[in-house]
Amino acid sequence: MTETAQVNQIANFAPVEWPENIKIAAKSPSEYVPPLDAQLGGKEREFMYFWHALPHLWWDLDYETFLRERRVRMARVVQRAWEELTSGAKSKAAPLAPTVEQIILGRETESVEFKSTLHTNLHTKQVDDKMQLSVLKTIAGFLNNNGGTLLIGVADDGEVLGLDADNFPNEDKYGLHLVNLIADRIGQIFLPYVHAHFKDQDDKRVLVVRCERGPKAAFVKDGALQRFYVRGGNATAELQGISITDYVTKRLD
């Protein structure tokens, strides 16, 4: 192959073509990267960030910090390549995501939690911010660990309750409410790392919220407070003070 266009396509490791390059022009990465990043799925982002040796939110780092972070990741890429070349290991297909039924049968774990509702207290039948905070702290806990799955519309014992108790007019409104909660109280930057979709189970609707490992520490706004949660076993725990610093430092190692 000798044509420049063909050679460039073969050698081009970036997921950006000429039309996007023209639009980007001389813009800063902090302007043009976030919309591109938001379009990536969890597995795709993980793949891209690893092989491009990029730290999460790299476009917000000062250049010296970016270089330090990237050198470490470049070493990991070389190490991975060496291991695969010398061991003869072949890439395996990604496992299929478990069904709602399989998740429920596996019960609550470090990476799975059930919530009966998004914002309705089943005892008072009223909207209760404690319910919303409970959902948000689980999502933040997953973001601060290695991700996980939250099922809304499922009781702690695995009984499928459905979503009717939350009394939203339709699923679009339901999903938008969750998106707004995450954006307002955890941060808009985390939205690409949280994926929600509705599924049928036992003739009822359930909201499946799959969370990736977040790009940085996730705090939940609770009035004037900023709370930090992590997963431990099948529960979400709040850390305070120096424990937060220790955890975040260890997480970034």
Side-chain angles (χ1 to χ4, degrees):
M1 295 185 181
T2 57
E3 293 182 18
T4 302
Q6 288 179 306
V7 173
N8 283 345
Q9 285 301 304
I10 294 168
N12 191 357
F13 195 43
V16 178
E17 300 289 354
W18 279 110
E20 286 81 12
N21 264 331
I22 292 171
K23 293 177 184 176
I24 288 170
K27 291 180 181 177
S28 164
S30 62
E31 295 179 76
Y32 72 83
V33 174
L36 295 173
D37 183 79
Q39 295 172 21
L40 298 175
K43 292 295 182 183
E44 187 180 15
R45 181 184 291 107
E46 182 180 347
F47 178 86
M48 296 288 291
Y49 275 46
F50 179 81
W51 290 111
H52 286 276
L54 293 171
H56 283 285
L57 307 181
W58 60 269
W59 55 87
D60 284 336
L61 301 177
D62 65 82
Y63 191 57
E64 291 302 320
T65 302
F66 169 76
L67 289 180
R68 287 197 301 272
E69 293 286 336
R70 193 159 192 250
R71 284 170 185 146
V72 173
R73 286 162 176 78
M74 289 172 71
R76 291 173 185 163
V77 172
V78 174
Q79 181 182 26
R80 171 76 69 83
W82 173 255
E83 290 171 351
E84 292 192 6
L85 287 169
T86 55
S87 69
K90 295 182 179 180
S91 299
K92 298 180 180 178
L96 295 175
T99 64
V100 172
E101 182 177 16
Q102 290 170 332
I103 294 172
I104 292 174
L105 288 175
R107 316 300 289 176
E108 292 185 317
T109 67
E110 185 175 22
S111 60
V112 173
E113 183 153 333
F114 308 149
K115 294 295 180 187
S116 299
T117 65
L118 173 58
H119 72 181
T120 299
N121 186 316
L122 293 180
H123 299 291
T124 65
K125 310 300 182 186
Q126 301 295 317
V127 173
D128 188 339
D129 188 58
K130 291 179 181 178
M131 305 298 108
Q132 296 187 145
L133 178 60
S134 182
V135 167
L136 290 171
K137 78 183 212 179
T138 297
I139 292 173
F142 287 148
L143 289 167
N144 287 326
N145 283 51
N146 293 310
T149 301
L150 168 65
L151 297 184
I152 301 177
V154 178
D156 290 341
D157 62 2
E159 179 186 358
V160 179
L161 304 176
L163 304 173
D164 291 344
D166 277 321
N167 200 32
F168 283 93
N170 54 57
E171 291 181 356
D172 286 343
K173 297 287 187 183
Y174 201 120
L176 181 61
H177 185 77
L178 177 61
V179 167
N180 288 337
L181 277 177
I182 296 169
D184 293 342
R185 300 181 61 176
I186 299 180
Q188 198 164 15
I189 200 168
F190 294 98
L191 289 178
Y193 298 83
V194 181
H195 315 278
H197 62 279
F198 295 90
K199 297 289 286 186
D200 289 318
Q201 182 63 35
D202 297 346
D203 297 322
K204 296 176 182 177
R205 294 293 271 175
V206 171
L207 182 57
V208 182
V209 185
R210 298 190 190 280
C211 305
E212 304 169 38
R213 179 183 174 89
K216 64 177 185 177
F219 290 80
V220 178
K221 188 187 300 182
D222 181 19
L225 300 175
Q226 293 283 345
R227 300 188 181 277
F228 187 83
Y229 298 99
V230 297
R231 291 291 290 180
N234 63 349
T236 304
E238 182 179 3
L239 298 186
Q240 297 179 337
I242 192 64
S243 296
I244 298 175
T245 304
D246 291 344
Y247 184 88
V248 172
T249 301
K250 183 178 179 181
R251 181 184 187 275
L252 295 176
D253 284 344

